[in-house]
Amino acid sequence: MQTEEENLLVRREIGDAVLAVLEQGKVVSVESIITYLERQHHEVTHLQYKNRYRHAVDLLIKSS
């Protein structure tokens, strides 16, 4: 189970992903956000961040 703080960090990652997609000039959709988060997930090496990106993707999938 995630703590409230972890949930807030995951939601912030989603918000950051939305901004990044907008800055790239792409249409914001669940698919484009998930693609961005998965790319970030593969680029980082620290397990804590990998888990956060994975949780963000899972949250988006459950919510859509």
Side-chain angles (χ1 to χ4, degrees):
M1 191 68 146
Q2 287 184 309
T3 66
E4 186 64 29
E5 182 179 344
E6 290 169 331
N7 283 332
L8 289 173
L9 290 172
V10 167
R11 290 175 183 275
R12 188 172 74 195
E13 292 297 343
I14 293 171
D16 290 347
V18 170
L19 289 174
V21 169
L22 285 171
E23 288 171 351
Q24 294 171 3
K26 296 180 181 176
V27 174
V28 175
S29 66
V30 172
E31 182 180 353
S32 64
I33 296 167
I34 288 173
T35 300
Y36 176 83
L37 289 168
E38 287 178 338
R39 199 172 324 118
Q40 292 298 104
H41 172 81
H42 291 293
E43 290 177 5
V44 298
T45 57
H46 196 277
L47 185 59
Q48 178 183 2
Y49 293 110
K50 281 187 162 291
N51 288 339
R52 196 181 311 160
Y53 290 126
R54 185 81 255 147
H55 289 302
V57 169
D58 291 345
L59 178 63
L60 282 170
I61 291 171
K62 288 177 188 175
S63 298
S64 63

